[in-house]
Amino acid sequence: MIAITGATGQLGRLVLAQLLKTVPADQLVAVVRDSSKAANFAERGVSVRVAAYGDRAALAKAFEGVERVLLISSNELGQRVAQHVSAIEAAKDAGVKQLAYTSVLRADTSTLSVAKEHLETEQALIASGLPYVLLRNGWYTENYLRSLPGVLANGALVGCAGSGRIASAACQDYAEAAAVVLTAPLESGRIYELAGDDAFSLADLAAEISRQTGKQIPYQDLSEPAYVELLLKVGMPQVYAELIADSDRGAAAGDLFDDSRTLSTLIDRPTTPIAETIKMALAR
Ligand SMILES: NC(=O)c1ccc[n+]([C@@H]2O[C@H](COP(=O)([O-])OP(=O)(O)OC[C@H]3O[C@@H](n4cnc5c(N)ncnc54)[C@H](OP(=O)(O)O)[C@@H]3O)[C@@H](O)[C@H]2O)c1
């Protein structure tokens, strides 16, 4: 059996949907904190088990009979290492044979502030002795499109990434990669640096949005403090404003760039071009 934590999140849903194409539903476990959000998976025959990150006993119960776990990183910044460690320990308690963890691109050298918790989790996983795979996911293209209505309303894409090149990929691409790893022969100690085939700057992204909408959307580059200030002004909580500005700073430093094509090799197709993800976001 294969268990997916964070199964009701954006990535988790896509991974489960992908696995359901080739794996019998009764071999899949959705580990969730709120079972009402997983009704669609239960209807399809997936076993839905409730366990919050941090609750080692509940997680160990959720992993009973499970051979492989995909530990999708938590979104609760600052609490993630303890939460992930509880899942790793629970997987050991349950006799899991492989744990794959969704980390961040080049977690060991990245200057991104989010990389710290990922690296500490990686180190805990390696120290645990559990057979592991690290799925070091690059940026999701979707990250840039959540604010699309605001971008269109304001007539500009604002950031502080300078001319940094971003090799993002669609969430679906990362989900397919996870599904490939979870259904391949068991392996341990493997690190996949996953990113999109094509890289773009935020000016390129603005140009593509302009092309598809027929509106003039320039990219406006701010300093990092000025960008944080702007995000706070539009009501974003401090922690997220700092995180978003930091990711742009990291993009400028090259943290979001990769040209290894490991992701497209793994999923055996090109990654989703940004134009396609923008088209889907505009159609919503
Ligand atoms: N590479 C990137 O660009 C990028 C971007 C964003 C996030 N990330 C990372 O990748 C992860 C997955 O991305 P995503 O887009 O799927 O994020 P997401 O939609 O926010 O999903 C996070 C999942 O974690 C679950 N979760 C959070 N706290 C939990 C807790 N205490 N106990 C149990 N479950 C908990 C959530 O449960 P509910 O469904 O109940 O809310 C959700 O299912 C994120 O959590 C974050 O670490 C990466």
Side-chain angles (χ1 to χ4, degrees), residues 6-12 33 37 51-53 72-76 80 83 137-140 143:
T8 47
Q10 176 178 225
L11 182 64
R33 60 176 164 181
K37 290 189 195 164
Y53 288 138
I72 293 188
S73 50
S74 164
N75 55 11
E76 297 183 323
R80 301 196 288 181
Q83 291 180 332
N137 289 346
W139 238 224
Y140 304 163
N143 294 347

Side-chain angles (χ1 to χ4, degrees), residues 203-280:
D204 296 334
L205 179 65
E208 182 57 28
I209 294 170
S210 303
R211 193 186 67 76
Q212 290 198 26
T213 58
K215 295 183 177 168
Q216 267 313 315
I217 309 288
Y219 171 58
Q220 194 185 339
D221 197 51
L222 301 179
S223 68
E224 189 180 353
Y227 188 35
V228 171
E229 201 177 306
L230 178 84
L231 294 172
L232 292 175
K233 220 182 263 173
V234 298
M236 188 173 282
Q238 179 104 22
V239 61
Y240 292 111
E242 285 175 0
L243 182 125
I244 287 174
D246 180 76
S247 70
D248 270 17
R249 180 208 50 76
D255 287 330
L256 304 184
F257 178 77
D258 178 80
D259 58 3
S260 68
R261 298 194 170 227
T262 307
L263 177 52
S264 53
T265 303
L266 196 57
I267 62 179
D268 199 26
R269 63 164 176 78
T271 58
T272 310
I274 57 159
E276 203 171 303
T277 310
I278 294 171
K279 197 170 149 198
M280 281 167 64

Side-chain angles (χ1 to χ4, degrees), residues 5-13 31-34 37 51-54 59 72-77 79-80 83-84 101-104 118 137-141 143 146 171 174:
T5 71
T8 47
Q10 176 178 225
L11 182 64
R13 285 183 182 281
V31 182
V32 303
R33 60 176 164 181
D34 177 355
K37 290 189 195 164
Y53 288 138
L59 286 162
I72 293 188
S73 50
S74 164
N75 55 11
E76 297 183 323
L77 299 175
Q79 299 176 50
R80 301 196 288 181
Q83 291 180 332
H84 298 157
Y101 170 68
T102 62
S103 184
V104 72
H118 286 298
N137 289 346
W139 238 224
Y140 304 163
T141 307
N143 294 347
R146 239 170 255 133
C171 256
Y174 296 111

